Amino acid sequence: MPKFLAILGCLTSLMLMLGSTVAQAATWSVTSPSTSSCHEHTLFARWSYEGYTLNNDVWGPCSVPPVAVGPQSFWANSSFDWSVTSDQPDTNGIKSYPHVEYFVNKPVGSLRKLTATISATTPSAGAWESTLDIWADAKQHEIMVWLNYTGTSNGCGNVKPISYNWTAEGCAIPLYSNVSLSGSTWNVYVGTNGKNAVYSFLRTAKTNQTTIDVLEIMNYLKSLNYFDDVVVGEIQYGFEITSSVGGLSFGSKNFAVTAE
């Protein structure tokens, strides 16, 4: 019996060690430093997991003009469980967009269902938006779906959507207001970032948990003749951070894209 117990104990220890190894192997992390150089290799550190890709995406130093950024730490147990702590200065310009992405690569007309499910945690301070970023037609069209954000749905505040039209007070003007899509209402802004068209849907009732009918949004823009049967490329979800002084934390759970 003692010999049996000893063998059992060894097997138990081995199983625990293997379990620990598996858990560690499934965990990825990266920290990018304060920098104004686009050549820092950790800025765009990536990790792939079960068909999804996570990206640190600290793109401020690579923008035109470059924007100096603070440190950012990204941790992921999987594409369904990740978080970021970012310490960005209270200066003009977007610093980063830590995100998860899924590559669809299908024309809008071939899809009968295209949804994205989001469950997030966000801070009460800072300047940021929790947003989907949907790319179509080889990145000629960018559709942003703001779910939670520190600005206002009427285009004012400390974060604002890209827009062709602005008020004298510096607020973006929606081209379409209170549009009913995907079970909510949205103010829709249209503009360009100098490289591609940008369509921003700002949810009038902010949320951290929802399922977005991406296909309905794409068909809405298609009905307005902004594009025809474009190919949907990447669907990204993350946190576009302008400032997060002192280090603010954001998290994503159970993000999933369904494309059928």
Side-chain angles (χ1 to χ4, degrees), residues 179-200:
V179 177
S180 294
L181 292 167
S182 189
S184 187
T185 57
W186 310 79
N187 289 340
V188 183
Y189 301 78
V190 179
T192 179
N193 60 13
K195 295 181 180 179
N196 52 262
V198 182
Y199 316 90
S200 299

Side-chain angles (χ1 to χ4, degrees), residues 72-157:
Q72 178 168 288
S73 295
F74 195 128
W75 170 91
N77 191 50
S78 71
S79 56
F80 313 108
D81 179 15
W82 60 272
S83 64
V84 62
T85 299
S86 192
D87 186 357
Q88 301 305 327
D90 188 13
T91 55
N92 292 331
I94 296 165
K95 313 307 187 300
S96 66
Y97 178 55
H99 67 266
V100 59
E101 73 177 38
Y102 181 84
F103 190 51
V104 177
N105 196 31
K106 293 181 179 179
V108 171
S110 72
L111 292 162
R112 64 179 183 85
K113 183 177 183 180
L114 183 59
T115 62
T117 298
I118 294 98
S119 179
T121 54
T122 54
S124 57
W128 49 266
E129 61 265 9
S130 162
T131 180
L132 286 169
D133 208 3
I134 303 156
W135 296 91
D137 199 19
K139 295 196 172 181
Q140 294 302 303
H141 300 278
E142 180 181 7
I143 300 93
M144 301 194 74
V145 183
W146 291 26
L147 303 171
N148 197 357
Y149 45 95
T150 54
T152 67
S153 63
N154 61 357
C156 298

Side-chain angles (χ1 to χ4, degrees), residues 173-252:
I173 300 174
L175 201 56
Y176 310 96
S177 298
N178 296 315
V179 177
S180 294
L181 292 167
S182 189
S184 187
T185 57
W186 310 79
N187 289 340
V188 183
Y189 301 78
V190 179
T192 179
N193 60 13
K195 295 181 180 179
N196 52 262
V198 182
Y199 316 90
S200 299
F201 290 73
L202 274 61
R203 199 176 194 269
T204 58
K206 300 174 183 179
T207 186
N208 275 336
Q209 296 187 352
T210 189
T211 295
I212 297 298
D213 190 335
V214 176
L215 185 58
E216 186 177 9
I217 289 174
M218 298 300 290
N219 280 327
Y220 170 75
L221 290 172
K222 186 178 174 182
S223 72
L224 295 174
N225 297 316
Y226 284 110
F227 47 69
D228 49 22
D229 193 23
V230 294
V231 173
V232 179
E234 299 92 339
I235 293 182
Q236 302 170 338
Y237 170 71
F239 310 98
E240 193 168 68
I241 303 168
T242 297
S243 71
S244 51
V245 176
L248 300 179
S249 295
F250 305 77
S252 171

